[in-house]
Amino acid sequence: MINASKIKIALIKWLLEKYDNNLVLGNEVAYSPLIRRADLVMIHNGFSYAFEIKSDCDNMKRLKDQLPDYLKTFDFIYIVTTKSLLKEIELSAPKNVGIILVNGSVKQKRKPILIKRLNKRSLAEFLDRKTIIKNIHPKNPSLSVFDLRDTISKELSISKIRELAIQSLTKRYSYQFSLFLYDIENSGITEDDLRTLTGCNLGNIH
């Protein structure tokens, strides 16, 4: 039985080979006003990718609740799973969600489709106070970051908020990702290395 950490390590190795380090990765990324966490997020060529890992130990009932928020927030979504859960996920996951199988090797079973209708408020969750104030100059900059995110969602276009969200994620994780690459340069990836990819929770930044 392969656990979630081993699946994640195999996935990261596969992504690094596939994209030749031309990417930024973040581990356990907070997203959505409901403060969910994506198992792994990748930024590549100006697009966001979210990876939800389902191991043999996971409860599949949670996936139904998680997917709507993923679909509001990220350009591409993948479910990464094992052979025992593959058939169930293929039948239940929306057709625009990609599927990756980890079973000794890593194989893409279904390509994701670009999500064209994202939610402004969900994307605004990636923005901190400084970024929001710089872009909308609110009358009351002392508002809570929650209220500022509501405000920018009303004032800016979806394309602009998405652009700011991609920039914020890239900035937040680029340094950790560079440290991660340095740490694993002459050794394999361990579970401890995953901590390097875990950034701060923007929901707590004011």
Side-chain angles (χ1 to χ4, degrees):
M1 183 178 291
I2 181 170
N3 64 31
S5 292
K6 290 181 179 179
I7 293 174
K8 187 176 292 186
I9 289 170
L11 172 65
I12 290 172
K13 289 178 179 177
W14 182 75
L15 292 172
L16 291 175
E17 292 174 2
K18 182 178 176 68
Y19 295 103
D20 194 27
N21 296 349
N22 184 27
L23 71 165
V24 172
L25 295 175
N27 183 48
E28 298 296 330
V29 176
Y31 73 100
S32 163
L34 297 177
I35 313 300
R36 298 189 185 278
R37 288 189 178 273
D39 290 318
L40 193 73
V41 167
M42 178 177 75
I43 303 299
H44 175 68
N45 285 346
F47 291 97
S48 62
Y49 297 72
F51 300 87
E52 174 63 26
I53 293 172
K54 291 301 177 189
S55 72
D56 296 334
C57 304
D58 281 323
N59 182 347
M60 289 297 295
K61 291 181 180 179
R62 288 189 63 237
L63 185 60
K64 185 177 180 181
D65 294 330
Q66 292 170 308
L67 281 175
D69 286 317
Y70 272 122
L71 292 164
K72 293 177 183 178
T73 310
F74 297 97
D75 296 315
F76 296 97
I77 299 111
Y78 278 101
I79 300 171
V80 187
T81 192
T82 61
K83 187 175 182 180
S84 64
L85 295 177
L86 178 62
K87 184 59 66 176
E88 181 178 356
I89 289 173
E90 285 179 328
L91 292 173
S92 61
K95 298 301 181 184
N96 54 358
V97 172
I99 299 173
I100 292 174
L101 173 65
V102 177
N103 183 36
S105 61
V106 179
K107 184 177 181 181
Q108 180 175 258
K109 300 294 290 185
R110 182 201 293 173
K111 290 185 178 180
I113 297 173
L114 176 66
I115 309 299
K116 296 182 179 180
R117 291 189 177 184
L118 300 178
N119 179 275
K120 289 198 286 185
R121 185 58 184 83
S122 294
L123 290 170
E125 199 65 28
F126 296 126
L127 308 182
D128 60 16
R129 174 183 294 277
K130 184 177 179 180
T131 299
I132 296 171
I133 291 174
K134 179 181 178 181
N135 281 274
I136 63 172
H137 308 290
K139 294 180 181 178
N140 183 5
S142 64
L143 288 170
S144 70
V145 69
F146 182 89
D147 289 334
L148 286 171
R149 288 169 181 157
D150 282 346
T151 302
I152 198 171
S153 299
K154 295 172 184 175
E155 294 193 11
L156 296 187
S157 67
I158 183 68
S159 60
K160 182 59 178 178
I161 295 177
R162 179 188 168 279
E163 176 188 337
L164 293 173
I166 295 290
Q167 291 173 358
S168 293
L169 283 168
T170 303
K171 181 179 179 181
R172 195 194 334 170
Y173 288 100
S174 288
Y175 179 65
Q176 281 109 319
F177 184 58
S178 65
L179 289 178
F180 171 81
L181 292 178
Y182 179 80
D183 287 343
I184 68 169
E185 185 174 4
N186 297 313
S187 61
I189 303 172
T190 68
E191 291 189 26
D192 285 340
D193 291 322
L194 298 178
R195 298 177 187 175
T196 307
L197 291 175
T198 306
C200 59
N201 182 348
L202 266 182
N204 294 329
I205 294 178
H206 300 284

